[in-house]
Protein backbone atom coordinates (compact mmCIF):
# COMPACT_ATOMS: atom_id res chain seq x y z
CA UNK A 1 0.00 0.00 0.00
CA UNK A 2 1.44 3.36 -1.04
CA UNK A 3 1.10 6.44 1.17
CA UNK A 4 -1.48 9.06 0.26
CA UNK A 5 -0.53 12.16 -1.68
CA UNK A 6 2.16 14.08 0.16
CA UNK A 7 1.90 17.61 1.46
CA UNK A 8 4.64 20.22 1.41
CA UNK A 9 8.06 19.02 2.70
CA UNK A 10 8.24 19.06 6.47
CA UNK A 11 4.50 19.44 6.95
CA UNK A 12 3.23 15.92 6.27
CA UNK A 13 1.79 14.13 9.31
CA UNK A 14 3.91 11.76 11.37
CA UNK A 15 2.43 8.76 13.16
CA UNK A 16 3.49 7.89 16.69
CA UNK A 17 2.79 4.21 17.25
CA UNK A 18 2.27 3.83 21.01
CA UNK A 19 2.70 0.53 22.82
CA UNK A 20 4.21 0.42 26.32
CA UNK A 21 5.01 4.13 26.37
CA UNK A 22 1.70 5.63 27.44
CA UNK A 23 2.91 9.13 28.27
CA UNK A 24 3.59 12.47 26.62
CA UNK A 25 6.63 13.53 28.66
CA UNK A 26 10.03 11.97 27.93
CA UNK A 27 8.62 10.04 24.99
CA UNK A 28 11.40 9.83 22.37
CA UNK A 29 9.09 8.64 19.58
CA UNK A 30 6.65 11.49 20.18
CA UNK A 31 9.54 13.93 20.39
CA UNK A 32 10.94 12.68 17.05
CA UNK A 33 7.54 13.09 15.40
CA UNK A 34 7.20 16.64 16.75
CA UNK A 35 10.62 17.62 15.45
CA UNK A 36 9.36 17.19 11.89
CA UNK A 37 7.19 20.26 12.40
CA UNK A 38 3.98 18.84 10.94
CA UNK A 39 0.83 17.24 12.32
CA UNK A 40 1.16 14.35 14.76
CA UNK A 41 -1.10 11.29 14.75
CA UNK A 42 -0.84 9.16 17.91
CA UNK A 43 -2.02 5.60 17.32
CA UNK A 44 -2.56 2.62 19.62
CA UNK A 45 -3.22 -0.78 18.05
CA UNK A 46 -4.52 -3.68 20.11
CA UNK A 47 -2.98 -6.83 18.63
CA UNK A 48 -2.47 -9.40 21.42
CA UNK A 49 -2.14 -12.26 18.94
CA UNK A 50 1.16 -10.72 17.80
CA UNK A 51 2.72 -11.11 21.25
CA UNK A 52 3.57 -14.77 20.75
CA UNK A 53 3.18 -16.99 23.80
CA UNK A 54 2.83 -13.99 26.13
CA UNK A 55 -0.22 -11.85 25.30
CA UNK A 56 -1.19 -9.50 28.14
CA UNK A 57 -2.89 -11.22 31.06
CA UNK A 58 -6.13 -10.25 32.76
CA UNK A 59 -4.67 -7.77 35.25
CA UNK A 60 -2.52 -6.14 32.55
CA UNK A 61 -5.54 -5.72 30.29
CA UNK A 62 -7.44 -4.02 33.09
CA UNK A 63 -4.55 -1.61 33.67
CA UNK A 64 -4.17 -0.96 29.95
CA UNK A 65 -7.83 0.06 29.68
CA UNK A 66 -7.49 2.59 32.51
CA UNK A 67 -4.19 3.93 31.24
CA UNK A 68 -5.44 4.39 27.69
CA UNK A 69 -8.46 6.23 29.02
CA UNK A 70 -6.18 8.70 30.79
CA UNK A 71 -3.97 9.02 27.71
CA UNK A 72 -6.96 9.84 25.51
CA UNK A 73 -7.59 12.85 27.76
CA UNK A 74 -3.95 13.93 27.76
CA UNK A 75 -3.76 13.94 23.97
CA UNK A 76 -7.11 15.72 23.75
CA UNK A 77 -5.75 18.45 26.02
CA UNK A 78 -2.74 18.73 23.70
CA UNK A 79 -5.01 19.22 20.70
CA UNK A 80 -5.06 15.82 18.98
CA UNK A 81 -7.03 12.59 19.13
CA UNK A 82 -5.53 9.26 20.11
CA UNK A 83 -6.47 6.85 17.31
CA UNK A 84 -7.41 3.42 18.65
CA UNK A 85 -7.39 0.43 16.34
CA UNK A 86 -7.69 -3.33 16.67
CA UNK A 87 -6.12 -5.81 14.24
CA UNK A 88 -2.85 -6.56 12.48
CA UNK A 89 -0.41 -3.78 13.39
CA UNK A 90 1.14 -3.33 9.95
CA UNK A 91 -2.22 -3.27 8.19
CA UNK A 92 -3.66 -0.73 10.62
CA UNK A 93 -0.59 1.50 10.42
CA UNK A 94 -0.81 1.54 6.62
CA UNK A 95 -4.50 2.32 6.82
CA UNK A 96 -3.76 5.31 9.04
CA UNK A 97 -1.00 6.37 6.64
CA UNK A 98 -3.46 6.30 3.76
CA UNK A 99 -6.14 8.14 5.72
CA UNK A 100 -3.84 10.95 6.89
CA UNK A 101 -1.16 11.26 4.22
CA UNK A 102 1.51 10.54 6.83
CA UNK A 103 5.09 10.18 5.64
CA UNK A 104 6.73 8.88 8.81
CA UNK A 105 6.07 6.39 11.60
CA UNK A 106 7.92 6.52 14.92
CA UNK A 107 7.78 4.11 17.84
CA UNK A 108 9.71 3.25 20.99
CA UNK A 109 11.41 -0.13 21.08
CA UNK A 110 10.18 -3.13 22.98
CA UNK A 111 12.39 -6.07 23.83
CA UNK A 112 10.16 -9.14 24.05
CA UNK A 113 11.41 -11.71 21.48
CA UNK A 114 8.13 -12.01 19.58
CA UNK A 115 7.76 -8.22 19.43
CA UNK A 116 11.35 -7.71 18.27
CA UNK A 117 10.75 -10.08 15.35
CA UNK A 118 7.42 -8.45 14.50
CA UNK A 119 8.75 -4.90 14.67
CA UNK A 120 11.64 -5.77 12.38
CA UNK A 121 9.22 -6.98 9.71
CA UNK A 122 6.98 -3.94 10.15
CA UNK A 123 9.94 -1.57 9.85
CA UNK A 124 11.03 -3.25 6.61
CA UNK A 125 7.50 -3.13 5.19
CA UNK A 126 7.02 0.54 6.07
CA UNK A 127 10.29 1.51 4.44
CA UNK A 128 9.41 -0.55 1.38
CA UNK A 129 6.26 1.57 1.14
CA UNK A 130 8.35 4.73 0.89
CA UNK A 131 7.84 5.82 4.50
CA UNK A 132 10.30 7.03 7.07
CA UNK A 133 10.22 4.33 9.77
CA UNK A 134 12.22 4.86 12.94
CA UNK A 135 12.38 3.13 16.29
CA UNK A 136 13.55 5.04 19.35
CA UNK A 137 15.00 4.01 22.71
CA UNK A 138 12.51 4.93 25.39
CA UNK A 139 12.17 2.09 27.92
CA UNK A 140 15.48 1.26 29.66
CA UNK A 141 18.12 3.76 30.73
CA UNK A 142 20.62 2.03 28.45
CA UNK A 143 20.15 0.14 25.21
CA UNK A 144 20.26 -3.50 26.37
CA UNK A 145 22.09 -4.70 23.28
CA UNK A 146 24.98 -2.25 23.78
CA UNK A 147 26.13 -3.23 27.28
CA UNK A 148 28.86 -5.87 27.02
CA UNK A 149 31.68 -7.19 29.17
CA UNK A 150 35.36 -6.76 28.26
CA UNK A 151 35.21 -9.89 26.11
CA UNK A 152 32.32 -8.44 24.12
CA UNK A 153 29.84 -10.89 25.62
CA UNK A 154 26.57 -10.20 27.48
CA UNK A 155 26.72 -10.11 31.25
CA UNK A 156 25.34 -12.92 33.38
CA UNK A 157 26.16 -11.35 36.75
CA UNK A 158 24.45 -8.21 37.95
CA UNK A 159 27.18 -6.33 39.83
CA UNK A 160 29.66 -5.92 36.94
CA UNK A 161 26.74 -5.23 34.60
CA UNK A 162 25.48 -2.36 36.73
CA UNK A 163 28.97 -1.06 37.33
CA UNK A 164 29.42 -0.87 33.56
CA UNK A 165 26.09 0.93 33.18
CA UNK A 166 27.02 3.51 35.80
CA UNK A 167 30.39 4.07 34.15
CA UNK A 168 28.74 4.76 30.80
CA UNK A 169 27.42 8.12 31.99
CA UNK A 170 24.51 9.79 33.71
CA UNK A 171 21.06 9.46 32.13
CA UNK A 172 20.07 12.66 30.36
CA UNK A 173 17.35 15.07 31.35
CA UNK A 174 13.83 13.89 30.45
CA UNK A 175 12.26 15.31 27.31
CA UNK A 176 9.43 17.78 28.04
CA UNK A 177 5.87 16.96 27.10
CA UNK A 178 4.67 18.91 24.07
CA UNK A 179 2.23 21.61 25.12
CA UNK A 180 0.37 21.64 21.83
CA UNK A 181 0.20 19.17 18.96
CA UNK A 182 -1.09 19.84 15.46
CA UNK A 183 -3.83 17.45 14.30
CA UNK A 184 -3.92 16.15 10.71
CA UNK A 185 -6.35 17.81 8.32
CA UNK A 186 -7.86 14.42 7.57
CA UNK A 187 -8.67 12.56 10.73
CA UNK A 188 -8.76 8.75 10.57
CA UNK A 189 -11.46 6.66 12.15
CA UNK A 190 -10.94 5.45 15.70
CA UNK A 191 -12.56 2.75 17.79
CA UNK A 192 -14.04 3.59 21.16
CA UNK A 193 -11.82 2.28 23.95
CA UNK A 194 -14.56 -0.12 25.10
CA UNK A 195 -14.34 -1.89 21.73
CA UNK A 196 -11.01 -3.40 22.78
CA UNK A 197 -12.86 -5.34 25.51
CA UNK A 198 -10.03 -5.03 28.01
CA UNK A 199 -12.22 -4.77 31.11
CA UNK A 200 -12.91 -8.13 32.81
CA UNK A 201 -16.28 -9.81 32.48
CA UNK A 202 -17.50 -10.69 35.03
CA UNK A 203 -16.03 -7.80 36.97
CA UNK A 204 -13.35 -9.00 39.39
CA UNK A 205 -11.27 -5.81 39.40
CA UNK A 206 -12.67 -3.92 42.41
CA UNK A 207 -9.52 -4.65 44.42
CA UNK A 208 -7.34 -3.34 41.61
CA UNK A 209 -9.39 -0.15 41.37
CA UNK A 210 -9.05 0.41 45.10
CA UNK A 211 -5.28 -0.09 45.03
CA UNK A 212 -4.14 1.81 41.94
CA UNK A 213 -4.40 4.95 39.86
CA UNK A 214 -3.16 4.03 36.37
CA UNK A 215 -1.89 6.77 34.08
CA UNK A 216 0.96 9.26 34.08
CA UNK A 217 -0.68 11.42 36.77
CA UNK A 218 -0.93 8.39 39.04
CA UNK A 219 2.71 7.56 38.32
CA UNK A 220 3.85 11.05 39.25
CA UNK A 221 1.78 10.99 42.44
CA UNK A 222 3.27 7.62 43.43
CA UNK A 223 6.77 8.89 42.77
CA UNK A 224 6.22 12.03 44.85
CA UNK A 225 4.73 9.97 47.68
CA UNK A 226 7.82 7.77 47.66
CA UNK A 227 10.30 10.65 47.50
CA UNK A 228 8.64 12.36 50.45
CA UNK A 229 8.15 9.34 52.64
CA UNK A 230 10.07 6.26 51.53
CA UNK A 231 13.26 6.94 49.59
CA UNK A 232 15.58 7.65 52.51
CA UNK A 233 14.44 4.54 54.41
CA UNK A 234 14.09 2.33 51.35
CA UNK A 235 17.17 0.19 51.98
CA UNK A 236 15.59 -1.10 55.21
CA UNK A 237 11.84 -0.71 54.73
CA UNK A 238 11.73 -2.28 51.26
CA UNK A 239 11.79 -5.72 52.90
CA UNK A 240 8.79 -5.01 55.14
CA UNK A 241 5.48 -6.01 53.57
CA UNK A 242 3.67 -4.57 56.59
CA UNK A 243 4.96 -1.08 55.71
CA UNK A 244 4.56 1.21 52.71
CA UNK A 245 8.27 0.94 52.09
CA UNK A 246 8.48 0.51 48.31
CA UNK A 247 7.87 2.86 45.41
CA UNK A 248 5.05 0.82 43.79
CA UNK A 249 6.22 2.25 40.47
CA UNK A 250 6.64 -1.09 38.69
CA UNK A 251 3.31 -1.10 36.79
CA UNK A 252 3.74 2.55 35.83
CA UNK A 253 7.21 1.78 34.48
CA UNK A 254 6.00 -1.29 32.62
CA UNK A 255 3.27 0.60 30.79
CA UNK A 256 5.56 3.55 30.18
CA UNK A 257 3.44 6.03 32.12
CA UNK A 258 6.72 7.21 33.58
CA UNK A 259 10.20 6.59 32.24
CA UNK A 260 13.19 5.32 34.24
CA UNK A 261 14.99 8.49 33.20
CA UNK A 262 12.26 10.58 34.83
CA UNK A 263 12.58 8.50 37.99
CA UNK A 264 16.38 8.73 38.04
CA UNK A 265 16.40 12.49 37.60
CA UNK A 266 13.69 12.96 40.23
CA UNK A 267 15.89 11.06 42.70
CA UNK A 268 18.87 13.18 41.68
CA UNK A 269 16.96 16.44 42.27
CA UNK A 270 15.69 15.17 45.62
CA UNK A 271 19.21 14.22 46.71
CA UNK A 272 20.62 17.56 45.63
CA UNK A 273 17.89 19.36 47.57
CA UNK A 274 19.18 17.54 50.66
CA UNK A 275 22.83 18.28 49.78
CA UNK A 276 23.54 14.57 49.44
CA UNK A 277 26.70 13.95 47.39
CA UNK A 278 26.40 12.18 44.05
CA UNK A 279 28.84 9.50 45.21
CA UNK A 280 26.27 8.60 47.85
CA UNK A 281 22.92 8.85 46.09
CA UNK A 282 24.05 7.11 42.89
CA UNK A 283 24.63 4.01 45.01
CA UNK A 284 21.28 4.10 46.77
CA UNK A 285 19.50 0.77 46.85
CA UNK A 286 16.48 2.18 45.04
CA UNK A 287 18.54 3.13 42.01
CA UNK A 288 20.15 -0.29 42.15
CA UNK A 289 16.65 -1.73 41.77
CA UNK A 290 16.32 0.29 38.57
CA UNK A 291 19.57 -1.42 37.64
CA UNK A 292 17.98 -4.83 38.12
CA UNK A 293 15.25 -3.74 35.73
CA UNK A 294 17.97 -2.85 33.22
CA UNK A 295 19.62 -6.23 33.81
CA UNK A 296 16.34 -8.04 33.18
CA UNK A 297 15.99 -6.42 29.76
CA UNK A 298 19.65 -7.13 29.00
CA UNK A 299 19.12 -10.83 29.70
CA UNK A 300 15.91 -11.02 27.68
CA UNK A 301 17.59 -9.47 24.65
CA UNK A 302 20.63 -11.73 24.74
CA UNK A 303 18.90 -14.92 25.94
CA UNK A 304 15.45 -14.79 24.32
CA UNK A 305 14.65 -18.42 25.15
CA UNK A 306 14.59 -17.79 28.90
CA UNK A 307 10.89 -16.94 29.39
CA UNK A 308 10.23 -20.65 28.95
CA UNK A 309 13.61 -22.40 29.24
CA UNK A 310 16.24 -22.22 32.00
CA UNK A 311 19.37 -20.24 31.25
CA UNK A 312 21.44 -22.89 33.03
CA UNK A 313 20.94 -25.95 30.82
CA UNK A 314 21.42 -28.53 33.57
CA UNK A 315 18.05 -27.46 35.01
CA UNK A 316 16.33 -28.92 31.96
CA UNK A 317 16.96 -32.28 33.69
CA UNK A 318 15.53 -31.20 37.03
CA UNK A 319 13.02 -33.77 38.39
CA UNK A 320 10.06 -31.43 38.85
CA UNK A 321 6.82 -32.81 40.24
CA UNK A 322 3.36 -32.65 38.71
CA UNK A 323 0.74 -31.96 41.35
CA UNK A 324 -2.24 -29.86 40.15
CA UNK A 325 -3.79 -29.85 43.63
CA UNK A 326 -0.70 -28.28 45.17
CA UNK A 327 -0.50 -25.73 42.38
CA UNK A 328 -4.14 -24.73 42.96
CA UNK A 329 -3.56 -24.45 46.71
CA UNK A 330 -0.58 -22.20 46.05
CA UNK A 331 -2.51 -20.03 43.57
CA UNK A 332 -5.43 -19.64 45.99
CA UNK A 333 -3.30 -18.89 49.06
CA UNK A 334 -4.30 -22.10 50.81
CA UNK A 335 -0.90 -23.67 51.53
CA UNK A 336 -1.11 -23.49 55.32
CA UNK A 337 1.86 -21.12 55.51
CA UNK A 338 0.51 -17.67 56.42
CA UNK A 339 3.14 -15.47 54.74
CA UNK A 340 2.85 -17.45 51.50
CA UNK A 341 -0.93 -17.35 51.60
CA UNK A 342 -1.00 -13.64 52.45
CA UNK A 343 1.17 -12.84 49.45
CA UNK A 344 -0.89 -14.83 47.00
CA UNK A 345 -4.13 -13.37 48.30
CA UNK A 346 -2.67 -9.85 48.04
CA UNK A 347 -1.77 -10.71 44.46
CA UNK A 348 -5.28 -11.89 43.60
CA UNK A 349 -6.96 -8.91 45.22
CA UNK A 350 -4.67 -6.04 44.24
CA UNK A 351 -2.75 -7.31 41.22
CA UNK A 352 0.53 -6.79 43.05
CA UNK A 353 2.68 -8.56 45.58
CA UNK A 354 5.44 -7.17 47.75
CA UNK A 355 8.89 -8.03 46.37
CA UNK A 356 10.15 -9.79 49.51
CA UNK A 357 7.02 -11.88 49.54
CA UNK A 358 7.37 -12.57 45.80
CA UNK A 359 10.65 -14.28 46.56
CA UNK A 360 9.12 -16.25 49.42
CA UNK A 361 6.10 -17.52 47.47
CA UNK A 362 8.26 -18.34 44.44
CA UNK A 363 10.77 -20.22 46.57
CA UNK A 364 7.95 -22.16 48.22
CA UNK A 365 6.56 -23.25 44.85
CA UNK A 366 9.82 -24.42 43.29
CA UNK A 367 11.78 -25.60 46.32
CA UNK A 368 9.24 -26.78 48.87
CA UNK A 369 6.55 -28.03 46.51
CA UNK A 370 9.14 -28.88 43.83
CA UNK A 371 6.81 -27.64 41.12
CA UNK A 372 8.36 -26.08 37.99
CA UNK A 373 8.83 -22.34 37.90
CA UNK A 374 7.06 -21.88 34.55
CA UNK A 375 3.48 -22.31 35.94
CA UNK A 376 4.39 -19.81 38.65
CA UNK A 377 5.60 -17.35 36.05
CA UNK A 378 2.38 -17.87 34.08
CA UNK A 379 0.28 -17.21 37.18
CA UNK A 380 2.14 -14.01 37.90
CA UNK A 381 1.79 -13.03 34.24
CA UNK A 382 -1.99 -13.23 34.40
CA UNK A 383 -2.50 -11.71 37.85
CA UNK A 384 0.14 -8.97 38.17
CA UNK A 385 -0.59 -5.44 37.04
CA UNK A 386 3.18 -5.04 36.59
CA UNK A 387 3.57 -8.27 34.60
CA UNK A 388 6.69 -7.63 32.54
CA UNK A 389 8.31 -10.44 30.57
CA UNK A 390 11.87 -9.36 31.32
CA UNK A 391 11.37 -8.83 35.05
CA UNK A 392 9.08 -11.81 35.50
CA UNK A 393 11.58 -14.11 33.80
CA UNK A 394 14.55 -12.80 35.76
CA UNK A 395 12.69 -13.06 39.06
CA UNK A 396 11.51 -16.62 38.61
CA UNK A 397 14.79 -17.93 37.22
CA UNK A 398 16.68 -16.16 40.00
CA UNK A 399 14.56 -17.79 42.68
CA UNK A 400 14.61 -21.20 41.01
CA UNK A 401 18.41 -21.03 40.81
CA UNK A 402 18.46 -21.65 37.07
CA UNK A 403 19.10 -18.17 35.67
CA UNK A 404 21.74 -15.45 35.53
CA UNK A 405 23.19 -14.33 38.86
CA UNK A 406 20.73 -16.76 40.41
CA UNK A 407 20.28 -17.45 44.09
CA UNK A 408 22.05 -20.73 44.97
CA UNK A 409 19.53 -23.54 44.88
CA UNK A 410 20.24 -24.32 48.52
CA UNK A 411 18.96 -20.83 49.41
CA UNK A 412 15.42 -21.81 50.33
CA UNK A 413 13.30 -19.09 51.90
CA UNK A 414 11.67 -20.27 55.11
CA UNK A 415 8.22 -18.61 55.23
CA UNK A 416 8.10 -18.82 59.02
CA UNK A 417 11.42 -17.10 59.72
CA UNK A 418 10.86 -14.65 56.87
CA UNK A 419 7.50 -13.71 58.35
CA UNK A 420 8.89 -13.32 61.85
CA UNK A 421 11.71 -11.11 60.56
CA UNK A 422 9.88 -8.92 58.08
CA UNK A 423 6.29 -8.97 59.41
CA UNK A 424 7.12 -9.11 63.12
CA UNK A 425 3.70 -8.12 64.45
CA UNK A 426 1.85 -10.11 61.82
CA UNK A 427 0.10 -7.03 60.41
CA UNK A 428 0.57 -8.11 56.80
CA UNK A 429 -0.76 -11.60 57.47
CA UNK A 430 -3.69 -10.26 59.48
CA UNK A 431 -4.72 -8.05 56.57
CA UNK A 432 -4.67 -10.73 53.89
CA UNK A 433 -5.43 -13.84 55.94
CA UNK A 434 -8.19 -12.49 58.20
CA UNK A 435 -9.08 -15.92 59.59
CA UNK A 436 -5.81 -15.71 61.55
CA UNK A 437 -6.23 -12.09 62.63
CA UNK A 438 -6.85 -12.88 66.30
CA UNK A 439 -3.77 -15.02 66.75
CA UNK A 440 -0.96 -13.54 68.87
CA UNK A 441 2.14 -12.43 66.95
CA UNK A 442 4.11 -15.30 68.48
CA UNK A 443 2.03 -17.84 66.56
CA UNK A 444 0.66 -16.05 63.54
CA UNK A 445 3.41 -17.27 61.23
CA UNK A 446 3.20 -20.86 62.47
CA UNK A 447 -0.34 -21.48 63.72
CA UNK A 448 0.15 -25.27 63.73
CA UNK A 449 2.57 -24.82 66.64
CA UNK A 450 0.13 -22.75 68.71
CA UNK A 451 -1.37 -24.29 71.86
CA UNK A 452 -4.91 -25.62 71.31
CA UNK A 453 -6.34 -23.09 73.76
CA UNK A 454 -4.70 -20.22 71.85
CA UNK A 455 -6.14 -21.47 68.55
CA UNK A 456 -9.58 -21.84 70.10
CA UNK A 457 -9.48 -18.35 71.60
CA UNK A 458 -8.57 -16.94 68.17
CA UNK A 459 -11.34 -18.88 66.44
CA UNK A 460 -8.86 -20.89 64.36
CA UNK A 461 -9.61 -24.53 63.57
CA UNK A 462 -6.76 -25.96 61.55
CA UNK A 463 -7.96 -28.02 58.63
CA UNK A 464 -11.29 -26.14 58.60
CA UNK A 465 -11.07 -22.37 59.04
CA UNK A 466 -7.44 -22.42 57.91
CA UNK A 467 -5.54 -25.26 56.19
CA UNK A 468 -2.79 -27.27 57.75
CA UNK A 469 0.59 -27.03 56.03
CA UNK A 470 0.52 -29.01 52.78
CA UNK A 471 4.19 -30.01 53.15
CA UNK A 472 6.79 -30.11 55.89
CA UNK A 473 9.38 -27.37 55.52
CA UNK A 474 12.17 -29.60 56.82
CA UNK A 475 11.36 -32.64 54.71
CA UNK A 476 10.59 -30.67 51.55
CA UNK A 477 13.92 -28.86 51.90
CA UNK A 478 15.79 -32.15 52.11
CA UNK A 479 13.94 -33.51 49.08
CA UNK A 480 14.70 -30.36 47.07
CA UNK A 481 18.41 -30.45 47.90
CA UNK A 482 18.63 -34.12 46.93
CA UNK A 483 16.89 -33.33 43.62
CA UNK A 484 19.46 -30.61 42.99
CA UNK A 485 22.34 -32.96 43.78
CA UNK A 486 20.98 -35.39 41.17
CA UNK A 487 21.42 -32.85 38.32
CA UNK A 488 24.86 -31.68 39.44
CA UNK A 489 26.57 -35.04 39.94
Amino acid sequence: MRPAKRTQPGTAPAIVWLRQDLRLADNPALHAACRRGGPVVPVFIWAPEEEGAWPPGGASRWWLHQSLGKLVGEFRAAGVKLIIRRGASLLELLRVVKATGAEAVFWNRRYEPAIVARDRKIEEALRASGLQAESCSGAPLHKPETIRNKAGQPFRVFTPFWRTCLASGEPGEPLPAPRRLTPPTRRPASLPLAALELEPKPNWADGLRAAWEPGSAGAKAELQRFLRGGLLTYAVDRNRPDLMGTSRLSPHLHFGEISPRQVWQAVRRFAESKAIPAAVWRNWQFLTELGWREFAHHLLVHFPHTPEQPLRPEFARFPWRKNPAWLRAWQQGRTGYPLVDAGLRELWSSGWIHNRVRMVVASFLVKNLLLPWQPGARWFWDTLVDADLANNTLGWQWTAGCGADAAPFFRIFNPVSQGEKFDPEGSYVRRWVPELARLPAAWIHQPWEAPPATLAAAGVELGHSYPRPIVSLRISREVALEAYRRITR
Side-chain angles (χ1 to χ4, degrees), residues 388-458:
D388 180 278
L389 192 60
N391 291 314
N392 201 38
T393 300
L394 170 63
W396 276 97
Q397 291 223 21
W398 184 90
T399 305
C402 62
D405 207 6
F409 190 84
F410 55 79
R411 184 183 183 187
I412 301 176
F413 288 88
N414 183 308
V416 175
S417 60
Q418 290 282 304
E420 292 173 341
K421 183 176 182 179
F422 297 115
D423 183 29
E425 299 303 317
S427 303
Y428 178 74
V429 167
R430 294 180 210 284
R431 177 179 180 185
W432 296 109
V433 189
E435 58 266 43
L436 301 179
R438 294 165 56 195
L439 273 179
W443 306 109
I444 197 164
H445 293 293
Q446 47 182 346
W448 59 90
E449 296 288 354
T454 301
L455 291 173

Side-chain angles (χ1 to χ4, degrees), residues 193-212:
L193 179 56
L196 303 186
E197 299 180 305
L198 299 172
E199 289 270 42
K201 295 179 181 179
N203 178 18
W204 43 257
D206 287 347
L208 276 63
R209 292 189 183 90
W212 300 100

Side-chain angles (χ1 to χ4, degrees), residues 301-324:
V301 166
H302 292 291
F303 306 102
H305 64 285
T306 52
E308 295 166 2
Q309 300 294 328
L311 180 62
R312 294 176 58 184
E314 65 269 26
F315 274 84
R317 308 190 304 271
F318 196 90
W320 300 110
R321 290 169 170 157
K322 292 183 179 180
N323 192 320

